[in-house]
Amino acid sequence: MDYDFQEIEKKWQQRWRDSKAYKVTEDSSKQKFYVLDMFPYPSGAGLHVGHPLGYIASDVMARYKRHQGFNVLHPMGYDSFGLPAEQYAIQTGQHPAITTEKNIARYREQLDKIGFAYDWDREVRTSDPEYYRWTQWIFGLIFESWYNKDTDKAEPISTLIQKFEENGTYGVNAHIDEDWYKELDMSKFPFFGEHFAGDFTATDWKSMNEEQQQLILMHFRLAYIADSVVNWCPALGTVLANDEIKDGKSERGGHPVVQKKMRQWSMRITAYAQRLLDGLEKVDWTDNIKDIQRNWIGRSEGASVFFQVDGHNAQIEVFTTRPDTIFGVSFMTLAPEHELVKQITTDEYREAVEQYITSAQLKTERDRQADVKNVTGQFTGAYVLHPFTGEKIPVWIGEYVLAGYGTGAVMAVPAGDQRDWDFAKKFNLPIPNIFEGVDISEKAEPSKDVKLANSDFLNGMKCKQATAKVIAELEARGIGRGKINYRMRDAVFSRQRYWGEPFPIYYKGDIPYLLHPDDGQVTLPKIDKFLPTEDGEPPLARAKKEDWSVWKGDRMEYNTMPGWAGSSWYFLRYMDPKNEKEFASREKVDYWNQVDLYIGGAEHATGHLLYSRFWTKVLFDLGYIGFDEPFKKMINQGMILGRSNHVYRIEGTNTFVTAEKKDEYKTQQLYVDINLVDNDILDTEAFKKWLPEYADAEFILNDKGQYTCTFAIDKMSKRWYNVANPDDLCEKFGADTLRLYEMFLGPVEQHKPWDTKGINGVHNFLRKYWRLSHDKGNKFVVNDNAPTPAELKSLHTAIKKVTEDLNRFSWNTVVSTMMICVNELTELKCNNREVLKQLTILLSPYAPHIAEELWEKLTEGKEGSVLNAPWPAFNESYLVESDFEYPISFNGKTRFFLTLPVAMTPAEVEAAVRANENTAKYLDGKEIKKVIVVPKRIVNVVI
RNA sequence: GCGGGCGUGGCGAAAUUGGUAGACGCGCCAGACUUAGGAUCUGGUGCCGCGAGGCAUGGGGGUUCGAGUCCCUCCGCCCGCACCA
């Protein structure tokens, strides 16, 4: 064999390991470049060819930047806390740490075979106590912070306490729930009295005991515990965050999810809603991901309006984006769960209302969503007064109003909103027209570009003007105000599981306290079983007191942190992974700074990518890092799908019929292992040996005597026998071929089916490249003459294009460019040492093993590793051609070619065209209106 | 319904600011060497036509000397959100 990739790859992987070729240290004399992959969860199934796609792309970039002289940080680690290991533990009793360890070893082995340039000395594992001690520390930091809206940043809770001590709540402008004080257990605050509305004096504060102070502070903390309505997944036995739910079911496992009020930890991410929105302007991500995040945050501008309840000392606050339509309000709808429903419902309607609420509660989230078109509702008997006209407006409850958005109440304007219109139609409520010259008898008019009518002081105005006017009026009368509402909710932060970070929290009574650093680190205690306790406590409640590394107060926190905790800051730990004193030193964080290029899947848009941005902003606010967006540029790699093959068995027999003839029989479609199929042709002998039941299979073949399979594109799964495994491909073709082929398949961003057919072409390219410097006997032969102009032209064309394409992250076109270059050099029989050296550097990011091998031969070992070779400089002068064949077109149609010196100016070209005899022929007596000369491309004669 | 993206040979795909559409690879066809090989090399390969030539980037229209690229419109596919007031 000429190109012995197995030998070469083994040799260089060993040498790189031995010499720590990819070790990187901070070096202020060099410019840094930080390339990051989304670290994987080490699952039991190992890697398939889809996983490395993004890793290869980032590896190419890391190596390219290194050639360019950058100090490149390119780390890898494992997001090793998670559900599968825990569920395996529940089934087998094996500790998740052991499963995880085993899976990581397997991942590492697979990754090593592909030849990645990771600095493994910087590896992190989120489940490692040395790592999660800092996750716990950051949690503590967030717990000990509040959000000051005046400075628009998070501050230590001590600054808040100081304000309380000096002036009470006066002058405190914190991000906090508007009616936070309603959640307080007032029996614990007898001195506040019944009119307490959240304000207290310095004297009040100082007179409170510690429990009372802590209860109040909890409402200000950025990490807090509260009774909140959460998504409870009974099958998984844990709560889930909104982003972990898809279509009303758990993202993992697809189990039903119900709404339940539970005492849970949350993160006050809502404090950062606006900054998370604004920060998107500063990062280079796809519009798609940015829009998903914008949508998730869900900012809407409008107004908050108070409606007085008729006959009650109560007001109902509504949020509306169309305050200009306020004169069109003909009824009000509350969410069934709205807190005032019970209070205002009249006796006459009480039974019907309660029935309606019960039936609404019985529906799961999914049922509600599926039932959108079915309008339901119930009158409460109560009325509110219109804030401007004083008119009595009936109050209804309806499922279409969501308790979790806005205030859980809407002012219904059937003329302007289709849902209100539908509701009004169904229950025969009035539909007053408030638009000039618009017919609303068939549907609502949602346009903002129509003039208002029947609207008192808003008549004749359009939406924009009327909105400003009505908000000013509401504010002047003290019955409403302009408001910005966000759809995003605070993120639930506790999980009732074992395999996650334990909280650094202990309890005195019901009050949680943060552990002091001197208390030592809480690590996961030993437990007998990984199930929740009989009375529904999280698994950690099973641990005996003496099995805890720290035990303080009355008890420890039994919840663990969610999967996104560890991944929200891992990119910072890579910068200083061994630091025992800090999560990372400020000096190193300042050096490595933001991730310059982040590659990973788009599925984390509303999870990991949002939470990382949130934590980064908190750390920035508190002065621990110098940037507030973690990922400067991001590219989302597409999924690689599997191409599965089918065979057709005639029912009731063991005879298989080729795809061309399958319709002549009654057949059953079966999946067949893709390794038994080549180019959709089945290897029938191998098929018989594949499974015992097929040992005596018979075949009906096509006219060519072959058995043809059909195919389908599915996700890769063992079930379909369509999993392509990188180890097999490395074995058969080599890591360099695999790397090149994955990049060659198409744009990295795109979803695409894996198809091994084309891999031969890429493999042949590497063999051709090898043979440039090896003769038929595989002897290394190069010449040291000066490169010929033709060789230089071919080489520099490649240098130019490869450099440009890498700069615009177009991985796939680079491979084609290099193939063309090698084809041309083969044609030229080029074995020039200098040319091959340059070409080898170009190829090295994609195919590092073969590049390193040839580099060693070409430099006779005198120039060190190709990894450090400077990127070839492009020289324009080698590309200059003496002549160029200009296609001459008449009115856009090419008629003939004219060979002219390329150095000619457009004016000279035009003169030459006019003078040419062919021109007169095609002019056919007509006149030339204009001659357009595009340098080196085309000449168009307009006649 | 709203938001984002896409549509180019038999297939994966190129075409960077509008400038010779289909580079490169697969597959296919023919040939060579040989002779059971899924090896290698050479040539061909968008469609119609013997040919000159004509037609081609989902359909239709527009701007332009010139459109895959820009504008309008319709059709189809993928992704995200979805009673968000």
Side-chain angles (χ1 to χ4, degrees):
Chain A
M1 183 154 49
D2 38 11
Y3 159 43
D4 187 352
F5 55 87
Q6 282 177 335
E7 189 65 28
I8 292 168
E9 291 178 1
K10 217 173 83 193
K11 167 179 162 188
W12 286 103
Q13 282 171 12
Q14 188 59 46
R15 288 219 199 159
W16 290 328
R17 205 171 6 245
D18 293 347
S19 65
K20 289 204 184 276
Y22 300 116
K23 191 168 173 56
V24 59
T25 49
E26 295 69 29
D27 177 353
S28 56
S29 70
K30 280 198 202 161
Q31 224 185 322
K32 68 93 191 186
F33 195 82
Y34 187 178
V35 196
L36 182 65
D37 295 299
M38 287 185 186
F39 62 167
Y41 172 78
S43 85
L47 296 171
H48 63 65
V49 291
H51 294 104
L53 179 69
Y55 303 160
I56 294 168
S58 67
D59 201 60
V60 167
M61 266 350 267
R63 289 168 181 274
Y64 168 59
K65 288 288 173 181
R66 179 166 173 171
H67 285 298
Q68 286 192 317
F70 286 87
N71 196 25
V72 178
L73 179 57
H74 186 222
M76 182 47 97
Y78 305 96
D79 191 10
S80 45
F81 271 135
L83 205 52
E86 175 151 345
Q87 288 193 324
Y88 190 71
I90 290 170
Q91 286 159 21
T92 63
Q94 189 171 68
H95 196 282
I98 297 168
T99 323
T100 303
E101 187 74 31
K102 216 170 73 192
N103 291 347
I104 286 179
R106 166 108 174 97
Y107 265 61
R108 176 64 190 275
E109 202 184 306
Q110 289 189 293
L111 290 170
D112 280 348
K113 276 194 189 151
I114 304 172
F116 289 118
Y118 295 127
D119 177 0
W120 283 106
D121 286 351
R122 290 175 183 263
E123 178 193 314
V124 302
R125 301 177 182 191
T126 55
S127 62
D128 182 351
E130 288 308 308
Y131 178 87
Y132 73 67
R133 83 181 318 142
W134 298 110
T135 310
Q136 293 169 319
W137 177 81
I138 294 172
F139 166 80
L141 204 64
I142 298 172
F143 177 73
E144 294 282 36
S145 302
W146 66 295
Y147 200 87
N148 186 343
K149 287 209 272 192
D150 285 339
T151 55
D152 204 20
K153 59 180 198 175
E155 289 181 15
I157 201 90
S158 56
T159 65
L160 180 68
I161 295 172
Q162 197 185 342
K163 280 172 186 278
F164 285 167
E165 284 171 351
E166 284 164 7
N167 288 310
T169 51
Y170 182 77
V172 171
N173 187 10
H175 179 94
I176 186 168
D177 291 342
E178 270 172 55
D179 42 7
W180 67 277
Y181 54 90
K182 291 181 186 162
E183 314 260 310
L184 286 180
D185 177 359
M186 291 313 284
S187 69
K188 293 194 167 154
F189 297 89
F191 45 87
F192 277 154
E194 61 180 285
H195 296 297
F196 177 65
D199 288 322
F200 51 81
T201 64
T203 322
D204 289 337
W205 174 256
K206 284 178 194 153
S207 72
M208 289 181 212
N209 64 26
E210 196 192 304
E211 186 194 4
Q212 289 163 337
Q213 289 185 340
Q214 288 299 332
L215 284 171
I216 285 181
L217 286 178
M218 190 55 81
H219 289 274
F220 289 80
R221 296 181 186 278
L222 288 184
Y224 63 96
I225 194 163
D227 291 315
S228 26
V229 178
V230 293
N231 309 298
W232 170 255
C233 180
L236 295 174
T238 185
V239 300
L240 297 171
N242 287 347
D243 67 276
E244 292 167 318
I245 295 165
K246 292 268 178 300
D247 300 327
K249 294 190 170 185
S250 72
E251 195 176 22
R252 277 181 180 272
H255 305 293
V257 171
V258 296
Q259 306 289 303
K260 199 173 164 187
K261 199 156 196 174
M262 291 176 75
R263 193 154 182 81
Q264 293 295 327
W265 286 95
S266 292
M267 288 270 172
R268 215 176 290 280
I269 189 171
T270 48
Y272 284 86
Q274 190 58 50
R275 284 171 63 191
L276 287 168
L277 223 40
D278 295 341
L280 291 173
E281 308 294 330
K282 295 192 289 189
V283 294
D284 183 6
W285 297 8
T286 61
D287 289 337
N288 177 30
I289 298 273
K290 287 188 184 185
D291 279 329
I292 292 173
Q293 291 209 348
R294 286 193 191 106
N295 206 307
W296 185 262
I297 296 166
R299 177 191 154 110
S300 43
E301 287 180 41
S304 155
V305 186
F306 291 93
F307 286 74
Q308 184 66 40
V309 184
D310 191 28
H312 283 80
N313 181 22
Q315 289 183 320
I316 296 175
E317 184 187 0
V318 301
F319 174 75
T320 174
T321 52
R322 293 294 303 276
D324 57 306
T325 62
I326 193 154
F327 289 96
V329 176
S330 65
F331 60 99
M332 176 181 276
T333 318
L334 307 183
E337 299 88 349
H338 195 279
E339 53 176 8
L340 283 175
V341 170
K342 288 206 170 94
Q343 192 187 328
I344 63 170
T345 299
T346 59
D347 292 339
E348 189 186 343
Y349 290 94
R350 189 165 303 280
E351 200 181 322
V353 165
E354 271 165 19
Q355 229 171 50
Y356 182 79
I357 294 175
T358 313
S359 78
Q361 276 171 345
L362 282 176
K363 289 190 194 172
T364 64
E365 199 72 352
R366 207 181 157 73
D367 290 341
R368 269 207 194 192
Q369 280 176 15
D371 216 16
V372 164
K373 284 185 194 97
N374 195 9
V375 179
T376 66
Q378 172 60 46
F379 182 44
T380 63
Y383 292 85
V384 291
L385 303 175
H386 192 282
F388 292 116
T389 66
E391 208 178 315
K392 278 173 78 172
I393 295 166
V395 180
W396 287 64
I397 56 173
E399 271 186 294
Y400 83 99
V401 179
L402 305 174
Y405 181 76
T407 61
V410 303
M411 55 175 233
V413 182
D417 185 293
Q418 193 57 46
R419 291 156 312 183
D420 296 344
W421 193 93
D422 293 340
F423 196 88
K425 258 282 180 282
K426 166 124 188 193
F427 297 109
N428 229 351
L429 293 156
I431 304 179
N433 193 349
I434 46 160
F435 299 115
E436 204 177 291
V438 175
D439 175 21
I440 52 158
S441 59
E442 293 303 320
K443 62 174 179 66
E445 173 54 66
S447 169
K448 294 181 175 179
D449 203 33
V450 292
K451 283 184 180 171
L452 290 161
N454 304 320
S455 292
D456 198 342
F457 58 88
L458 301 176
N459 282 339
M461 296 182 193
K462 285 184 182 174
C463 174
K464 202 176 165 190
Q465 192 191 359
T467 299
K469 174 96 181 158
V470 79
I471 288 175
E473 197 62 31
L474 286 167
E475 286 175 357
R477 300 196 194 184
I479 48 172
R481 65 199 154 83
K483 192 180 173 183
I484 293 159
N485 196 49
Y486 298 92
R487 189 162 68 207
M488 184 169 65
R489 304 264 68 92
D490 280 346
V492 180
F493 194 68
S494 40
R495 299 289 183 276
Q496 293 68 46
R497 290 189 198 152
Y498 176 75
W499 196 229
E501 298 87 349
F503 282 75
I505 290 286
Y506 66 96
Y507 285 86
K508 281 197 252 174
D510 283 338
I511 308 286
Y513 287 87
L514 185 66
L515 285 173
H516 191 272
D518 295 343
D519 295 325
Q521 187 193 0
V522 196
T523 52
L524 279 173
K526 262 193 281 179
I527 55 174
D528 55 349
K529 275 193 269 182
F530 299 96
L531 288 166
T533 65
E534 278 69 29
D535 46 357
E537 289 260 41
L540 286 191
R542 290 178 172 275
K544 298 188 201 82
K545 195 169 166 178
E546 58 270 25
D547 285 333
W548 285 87
S549 61
V550 181
W551 182 276
K552 207 173 168 185
D554 298 323
R555 68 170 182 96
M556 302 302 291
E557 172 65 59
Y558 296 144
N559 286 298
T560 54
M561 298 187 199
W564 54 268
S567 59
S568 292
W569 73 282
Y570 74 110
F571 47 92
L572 297 170
R573 187 62 179 173
Y574 282 137
M575 298 175 186
D576 195 4
K578 302 268 157 61
N579 196 326
E580 292 177 9
K581 300 208 167 61
E582 299 163 279
F583 74 97
S585 82
R586 181 65 199 255
E587 198 192 344
K588 290 184 179 177
V589 174
D590 282 348
Y591 177 72
W592 293 114
N593 212 270
Q594 286 168 292
V595 174
D596 294 284
L597 177 64
Y598 195 29
I599 298 187
E603 66 273 17
H604 299 105
T606 53
H608 161 63
L609 290 170
L610 202 58
Y611 298 130
S612 314
R613 296 181 60 219
F614 166 42
W615 281 30
T616 300
K617 286 179 196 300
V618 176
L619 289 168
F620 171 78
D621 286 355
L622 298 170
Y624 289 94
I625 59 177
F627 49 91
D628 74 341
E629 280 294 337
F631 314 121
K632 210 150 83 183
K633 179 174 178 66
M634 178 165 62
I635 288 175
N636 306 108
Q637 96 267 17
M639 210 191 324
I640 293 197
L641 302 163
R643 191 179 191 279
S644 41
N645 280 107
H646 318 125
V647 292
Y648 295 86
R649 180 165 64 187
I650 299 172
E651 275 187 16
T653 71
N654 210 10
T655 302
F656 293 82
V657 56
T658 185
E660 292 93 336
K661 297 181 181 172
K662 74 180 165 69
D663 294 337
E664 298 165 23
Y665 303 87
K666 204 168 179 192
T667 57
Q668 180 190 8
Q669 190 192 64
L670 298 165
Y671 282 84
V672 58
D673 191 329
I674 49 164
N675 293 309
L676 308 177
V677 181
D678 182 55
N679 200 13
D680 292 338
I681 305 298
L682 179 71
D683 180 339
T684 51
E685 288 310 307
F687 179 75
K688 286 189 193 177
K689 287 177 201 147
W690 179 42
L691 294 176
E693 54 179 304
Y694 300 144
D696 57 349
E698 311 222 349
F699 301 94
I700 297 173
L701 305 174
N702 65 14
D703 304 342
K704 290 183 190 165
Q706 292 171 321
Y707 188 99
T708 313
C709 305
T710 57
F711 70 92
I713 307 298
D714 301 305
K715 277 193 178 177
M716 277 196 191
S717 161
K718 282 181 184 167
R719 195 157 38 131
W720 316 128
Y721 307 109
N722 65 354
V723 178
N725 165 305
D727 309 73
D728 293 347
L729 292 161
C730 283
E731 182 78 15
K732 214 163 155 188
F733 297 99
D736 286 338
T737 299
L738 174 69
R739 293 167 60 105
L740 274 160
Y741 186 56
E742 291 223 12
M743 292 297 98
F744 181 67
L745 267 178
V748 274
E749 299 92 334
Q750 226 158 78
H751 296 303
K752 45 196 167 263
W754 178 260
D755 187 350
T756 318
K757 265 195 305 196
I759 202 166
N760 270 316
V762 170
H763 188 66
N764 282 341
F765 153 68
L766 284 180
R767 298 184 55 199
K768 279 190 203 165
Y769 163 63
W770 179 266
R771 283 195 303 250
L772 283 173
S773 54
H774 289 80
D775 65 13
K776 288 212 170 89
N778 200 28
K779 206 173 131 232
F780 181 74
V781 183
V782 291
N783 78 71
D784 285 305
N785 304 335
T788 66
E791 289 167 352
L792 285 170
K793 186 187 162 195
S794 178
L795 174 68
H796 280 261
T797 306
I799 293 172
K800 181 168 193 264
K801 197 149 176 0
V802 167
T803 308
E804 280 172 1
D805 286 354
L806 284 177
N807 286 342
R808 64 185 176 105
F809 306 99
S810 172
W811 284 268
N812 57 329
T813 50
V814 170
V815 184
S816 300
T817 303
M818 291 190 301
M819 285 179 175
I820 295 167
C821 182
V822 166
N823 283 345
E824 285 173 358
L825 293 180
T826 303
E827 187 116 335
L828 293 168
K829 297 194 164 52
C830 168
N831 66 345
N832 181 276
R833 189 189 298 272
E834 203 44 48
V835 171
L836 292 178
K837 271 172 71 179
Q838 305 269 302
L839 178 64
T840 298
I841 300 169
L842 283 188
L843 191 58
S844 142
Y846 282 79
H849 308 86
I850 190 174
E852 195 75 292
E853 176 74 14
L854 283 181
W855 181 258
E856 190 185 39
K857 290 186 175 186
L858 287 161
T859 62
E860 290 159 345
K862 287 177 200 152
E863 292 181 36
S865 167
V866 71
L867 299 172
N868 301 318
W871 192 251
F874 167 60
N875 188 334
E876 178 91 55
S877 65
Y878 296 132
L879 260 52
V880 174
E881 298 161 85
S882 51
D883 297 309
F884 183 75
E885 220 184 346
Y886 284 89
I888 311 300
S889 305
F890 289 78
N891 285 348
K893 301 247 184 283
T894 303
R895 295 299 176 181
F896 65 94
F897 289 86
L898 187 57
T899 305
L900 297 168
V902 81
M904 271 188 164
T905 64
E908 288 167 334
V909 173
E910 181 176 343
V913 170
R914 284 178 183 273
N916 191 275
E917 54 191 26
N918 279 319
T919 305
K921 197 169 105 198
Y922 283 100
L923 274 177
D924 196 23
K926 292 193 200 87
E927 231 177 281
I928 295 179
K929 283 197 194 127
K930 200 167 33 163
V931 177
I932 294 144
V933 180
V934 181
K936 282 189 69 180
R937 288 211 180 91
I938 191 166
V939 177
N940 193 15
V941 182
V942 186
I943 52 181

